């Protein structure tokens, strides 16, 4: 087990380093950062001064190393736009994105898993078809459009829910549904397929034969095994959702980290964009690492492979 | 002993002659495939709708009643016919007085172009990586798996937005960015498909008679994994179309005045309070297109899956 964790941790660190190098190089892909900082009116002398001041004249590898070692200590430099430390800006906004992500994945799991289980218990029933219909719709629906349509119906027509803001939990209802619905189809399908597979297996027949109650068979024996792949999928989806919340946050004007990313890209605020790409990647890497370890702990067969 | 086997063989054949005849007269594999295809409603629906939208995109100049770029500031935001508008503009006009139906028709071109080319580029990259990883294994496999992990860790929307912001939002840039970002699923699926096929007898046989590596891969492995490839192509095409729409919606995809459906939703958003149809209509076409592609992909997977062949 320890061997598996160490190997997996090594991979996670390598991936994180590569991603950090890629997001760092974005700064130089965008052209001369000193010229961008100086603005359009600047003379060559000004640009040269800024280049010295920010250290852009040094070799790239030195700059990367410095950026990385500072980033590891939580210092992502100063935002070009706000002239404030990037880490402060992000910390301020991250709680909204995290709340949204947790609510979204909970909504997805709470709807998708029960639906998937019921659909697997009664294949081809009305509920099964309804679940399939929901997942087919969810996969084809553009989330930004779904969000806008919800605003049209529930905020403008019915006046039930606020269209934007973050003041109370009511403000999070529509964003949660939109973000969660994006993750739901895959989780539902995987739960259904896993349950169908498990319900046909020998140990379920044994459990039934020895007279275990149906509820016990379904939840204690079947769901416990079928849920393992769902856990890792949910971790992956959670990582995607935090990165994808940028769309939802822009629709509902939630001033979270995704919204900050969108604004910063528009403002050419590269230190902020770099930091956000790195942080969102880190979330993904940490979630998938934890889910892999959890899976290895639950299922010894994974540890060997 | 060989003789007795032969006698037994003849007896067997005589006994099974009737069933053999039935087998011969039964449906051929081709007939069975056709039956599976025409019995699959989702697949038929997907093919029909996608085919229709393809025709619309190809013949857009003939079908569009107006120039999609022509502004008429005296006829702004006219409602569609079903909301009391006139047949002059069947789906109304937008905030610059451009005919909505014509923009919608030309928008099909943008979505299909981006979806098709992005899936082509990412398919080439991902398939090459996945097949190489599955076939050669070892270090190649480790390298490819690592690259897949790196790619999955990067937030697609954010990275795509940042790159488009740097290089500008032309059609070509959006296609390239999506093509270079969406290869992960191709690589994952092609890798596992190749792994399954690699140790089959016909592959070993081809290697044994001295076929070159490229020949083994192209004429032994590829034909046997191309089913899975086609399914991933449809999935990624749908994915690319939705992502382009989202990027354009956020203002960092295809730039105005190009009639992208995502951009139309974004432009309609300003007037959403009074004219919700401006947002609803392009969203519905986007939904129908992606739905058709997904149903086609799901259908192809069902029809070609070996477990459905019995």
């Amino acid at each position: 087990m320890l061997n598996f964790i160490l190997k997996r941790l090594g991979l996670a660190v390598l991936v994180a380093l590569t991603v950090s190098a890629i997001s760092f190089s974005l700064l130089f892909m965008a052209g001369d950062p000193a010229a961008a900082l100086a603005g359009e009116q600047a003379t060559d002398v000004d640009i040269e001064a800024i280049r010295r001041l920010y250290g852009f004249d040094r070799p790239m590898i030195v700059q990367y190393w410095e950026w990385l070692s500072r980033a590891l200590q939580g210092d992502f430099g100063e935002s070009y736009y706000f002239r404030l430390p990037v880490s402060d800006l992000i910390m301020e906004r991250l709680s909204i994105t995290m709340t949204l992500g947790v609510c979204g994945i909970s909504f997805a799991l709470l709807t998708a898993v029960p639906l998937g289980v019921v659909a697997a218990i009664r294949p081809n029933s009305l509920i099964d078809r309804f679940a399939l219909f929901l997942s087919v719709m969810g996969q084809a629906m553009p989330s930004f459009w779904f969000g806008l349509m919800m605003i049209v119906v529930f905020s403008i027509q019915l006046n039930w829910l606020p269209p934007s803001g973050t003041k109370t939990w009511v403000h999070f209802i529509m964003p949660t549904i939109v973000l969660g619905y994006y993750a739901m189809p895959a989780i539902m399908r995987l739960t259904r397929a896993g349950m169908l597979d498990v319900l046909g297996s020998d140990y379920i027949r044994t459990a039934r034969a020895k007279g275990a109650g149906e509820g016990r068979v379904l939840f204690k024996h079947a769901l416990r095994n079928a849920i393992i792949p769902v856990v890792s999928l949910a971790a992956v989806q959670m990582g995607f959702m935090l990165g994808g919340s940028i769309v939802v946050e822009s629709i509902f004007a939630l001033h979270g980290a995704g919204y900050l990313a969108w604004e910063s890209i528009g403002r050419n605020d590269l230190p902020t964009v770099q930091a956000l790409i790195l942080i969102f990647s880190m979330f993904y890497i940490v979630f998938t690492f934890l889910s892999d370890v959890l899976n290895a702990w639950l299922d010894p067969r994974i540890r060997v492979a | 002993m060989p003789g007795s086997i032969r006698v037994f063989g003849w007896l067997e054949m005589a006994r099974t002659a009737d069933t053999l005849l039935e087998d011969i007269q039964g449906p051929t594999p081709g007939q069975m495939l056709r039956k599976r295809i025409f019995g699959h409603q989702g697949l038929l629906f997907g093919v029909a709708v996608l085919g229709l939208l393809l025709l619309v995109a190809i013949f857009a100049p003939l079908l569009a009643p107006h120039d999609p770029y022509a502004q008429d500031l005296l006829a702004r935001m006219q409602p569609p016919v079903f909301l009391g508008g006139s047949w002059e503009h069947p789906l109304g006009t937008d905030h610059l007085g451009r005919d909505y139906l014509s923009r919608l028709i030309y928008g099909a071109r943008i979505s299909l172009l981006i979806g098709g080319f992005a899936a082509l580029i990412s398919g080439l990259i991902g398939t090459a990586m996945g097949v190489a990883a599955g076939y050669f294994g070892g270090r190649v496999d480790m390298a490819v798996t690592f690259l897949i992990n790196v790619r999955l860790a990067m937030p697609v929307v954010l990275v795509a937005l940042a790159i488009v912001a740097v290089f500008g939002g032309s059609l070509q840039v959006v296609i390239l960015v999506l093509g270079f970002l969406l290869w992960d699923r191709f690589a994952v699926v092609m890798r596992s498909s190749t792994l399954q096929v690699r140790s089959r007898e016909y592959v070993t046989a081809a290697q044994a008679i001295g076929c070159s590596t490229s020949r083994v891969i192209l004429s032994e492995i590829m034909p046997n994994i191309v089913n899975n490839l086609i399914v991933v192509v449809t999935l990624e095409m749908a994915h690319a179309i939705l992502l382009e729409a989202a990027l354009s919606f956020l203002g960092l995809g295809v730039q105005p005045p190009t009639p992208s459906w995502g951009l139309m939703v974004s432009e309609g958003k300003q007037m959403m309070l009074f004219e919700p149809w401006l947002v609803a209509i392009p969203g519905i076409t986007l939904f129908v297109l992606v739905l058709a592609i997904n149903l086609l992909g799901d259908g192809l997977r069902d029809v070609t899956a070996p477990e459905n062949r019995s």
Side-chain angles (χ1 to χ4, degrees):
Chain A
M1 186 69 193
L2 190 68
N3 205 3
F4 173 84
I5 293 180
L6 286 178
K7 249 196 212 161
R8 189 61 190 72
L9 192 66
L11 177 69
V13 170
L14 269 180
V15 169
L17 277 175
T18 315
V19 171
S20 77
I22 293 173
S23 59
F24 177 75
S25 63
L26 197 70
L27 184 68
F28 294 90
M29 230 158 67
D32 188 351
L37 258 176
E40 283 169 20
Q41 313 277 306
T43 61
D44 286 351
V45 182
D46 295 341
I47 295 176
E48 195 53 43
I50 286 179
R51 186 170 290 137
R52 289 261 169 71
L53 182 69
Y54 281 84
F56 293 135
D57 51 347
R58 293 168 305 160
M60 220 160 120
I61 190 88
V62 176
Q63 294 186 51
Y64 169 64
W65 179 248
E66 195 185 274
W67 176 75
L68 185 69
S69 49
R70 283 202 188 156
L72 284 174
Q73 297 163 36
D75 175 11
F76 289 99
E78 194 180 69
S79 154
Y80 291 172
Y81 182 83
F82 293 103
R83 305 280 166 193
L84 289 168
V86 171
S87 44
D88 291 359
L89 277 175
I90 293 177
M91 283 316 283
E92 202 182 295
R93 312 280 195 108
L94 209 54
S95 65
I96 291 178
T97 302
M98 289 301 286
T99 313
L100 188 60
V102 171
C103 290
I105 198 75
S106 313
F107 173 78
L109 283 171
L110 287 176
T111 50
V113 172
L115 260 180
V117 170
V118 176
I121 298 172
R122 302 250 177 283
N124 287 321
S125 67
L126 215 60
I127 289 186
D128 187 17
R129 289 181 181 214
F130 173 69
L132 186 68
F133 171 78
L134 267 189
S135 82
V136 170
M137 298 287 277
Q139 277 171 331
M141 194 124 63
S143 57
F144 60 91
W145 182 72
F146 181 43
L148 290 176
M149 286 294 106
M150 284 193 77
I151 293 180
V152 167
V153 174
F154 294 106
S155 302
I156 299 176
Q157 311 270 350
L158 297 170
N159 209 2
W160 285 354
L161 294 167
S164 62
T166 48
K167 281 197 199 79
T168 61
W169 63 272
V170 184
H171 289 86
F172 280 95
I173 294 178
M174 287 201 291
T176 296
I177 294 175
V178 174
L179 195 61
Y181 194 26
Y182 163 80
M184 212 199 85
I187 297 177
M188 212 276 306
R189 285 181 171 213
L190 195 64
T191 311
R192 182 180 178 276
M195 276 301 269
L196 270 179
D197 204 34
V198 168
L199 284 177
S201 64
D202 289 339
Y203 66 87
I204 292 297
R205 205 175 329 137
T206 312
R208 284 196 174 126
K210 74 175 190 196
E214 193 60 27
R216 199 182 149 83
V217 170
L218 284 178
F219 292 103
K220 187 114 199 281
H221 296 263
L223 189 59
R224 258 178 109 175
N225 283 291
I227 208 84
I228 293 179
V230 176
V231 171
S232 38
L233 179 67
V236 172
Q237 295 277 29
M238 177 85 187
F240 284 156
M241 272 162 112
L242 290 175
S245 71
I246 189 166
V247 175
V248 177
E249 286 180 24
S250 80
I251 297 168
F252 294 102
L254 301 177
H255 290 257
Y259 198 84
L260 179 66
W262 183 46
E263 287 178 315
S264 303
I265 288 170
R267 289 170 185 148
N268 246 327
D269 189 354
L270 284 164
T272 316
V273 177
Q274 278 179 334
L276 282 165
I277 291 180
L278 191 61
I279 287 175
F280 282 130
S281 309
M282 286 306 153
F283 276 122
Y284 178 88
I285 293 169
V286 170
F287 286 138
T288 46
F289 171 72
L290 289 179
S291 90
D292 280 359
V293 171
L294 183 69
N295 273 334
W297 180 59
L298 287 172
D299 186 348
R301 281 171 299 181
I302 298 174
R303 277 175 237 164
V304 188
Chain B
M1 285 307 278
S4 68
I5 287 172
R6 184 173 284 165
V7 169
F8 179 72
W10 279 110
L11 278 174
E12 256 325 2
M13 274 183 77
R15 215 176 287 144
T16 56
D18 289 352
T19 47
L20 261 178
L21 205 62
E22 264 169 41
D23 278 352
I24 293 165
Q25 286 168 339
T28 62
Q31 284 171 328
M32 278 156 67
L33 182 68
R34 243 165 280 148
K35 199 180 159 198
R36 284 202 302 273
I37 290 173
F38 287 105
H40 199 294
Q41 287 171 348
L43 179 63
L44 294 181
F45 176 83
V47 171
V49 172
L50 190 60
L52 196 72
L53 285 170
L54 259 174
L55 287 178
V56 166
I58 293 168
F59 296 108
L62 298 174
L63 292 167
H66 297 270
D67 178 351
Y69 298 103
Q71 303 181 2
D72 180 359
L73 295 176
L74 293 174
R76 293 162 57 212
M77 290 199 280
Q78 306 235 318
V81 165
F82 49 87
L83 291 174
S86 72
W87 280 103
E88 171 68 18
H89 299 289
L91 290 179
T93 56
D94 67 4
H95 63 296
L96 295 173
R98 296 174 293 197
D99 183 57
Y100 225 46
L101 177 63
S102 307
R103 288 184 70 71
L104 218 53
I105 289 173
Y106 275 88
R109 284 188 160 182
I110 306 292
S111 279
L112 286 168
L113 265 180
I114 288 183
F117 278 105
L120 182 74
I121 295 172
S122 54
L124 285 175
I125 300 172
T127 307
M129 287 173 69
V131 171
Y135 187 76
F136 295 111
R139 295 213 172 149
V140 180
D141 188 21
M142 271 167 68
V144 168
T145 312
F146 178 71
L147 285 177
I148 294 173
N149 272 309
V150 169
R151 162 51 205 85
L152 284 173
M154 299 203 297
V156 185
V157 181
L158 197 50
V159 173
L161 283 174
I163 298 175
V164 171
V166 169
F167 291 104
S170 67
L171 203 60
Q172 290 91 325
V173 169
V174 174
I175 287 175
L176 284 175
V177 167
L178 294 181
F180 281 102
L181 278 176
L182 299 182
W183 49 264
D184 51 300
R185 198 178 343 211
F186 283 103
V188 171
V189 174
M190 287 297 98
R191 176 179 170 272
S192 60
S193 311
T194 308
L195 271 178
Q196 275 172 13
V197 172
R198 184 181 63 171
S199 48
R200 296 275 170 82
E201 287 89 345
Y202 53 81
V203 176
T204 320
Q207 287 164 337
I209 60 172
C211 291
S212 66
T213 308
S214 60
R215 167 138 191 194
V216 173
I217 289 176
L218 288 178
S219 60
E220 304 297 329
I221 292 191
M222 281 313 283
N224 289 293
I225 59 175
V226 79
N227 285 347
N228 298 346
L229 179 62
I230 292 172
V231 173
V232 183
V233 167
T234 62
L235 284 175
E236 285 311 311
M237 195 172 158
H239 192 178
I241 289 172
L242 281 179
L243 255 178
E244 178 274 320
L247 295 182
S248 301
F249 172 77
L250 291 171
L252 284 163
V254 180
Q255 295 302 306
T258 316
S260 147
W261 290 344
L263 201 56
M264 288 169 76
V265 172
S266 157
E267 288 165 350
K269 195 180 68 168
Q270 329 292 331
M271 274 74 68
M272 194 172 68
L273 197 58
F274 306 105
E275 315 283 352
W277 55 270
L278 278 171
V279 171
I281 292 174
I284 291 171
T285 51
L286 203 50
F287 171 72
V288 171
L289 172 60
V290 174
L291 182 72
I293 297 174
N294 281 343
L295 287 176
L296 172 68
D298 284 356
L300 282 175
R301 187 176 48 206
D302 290 349
V303 166
T304 55
E307 61 266 23
N308 292 346
R309 288 201 183 153
S310 54

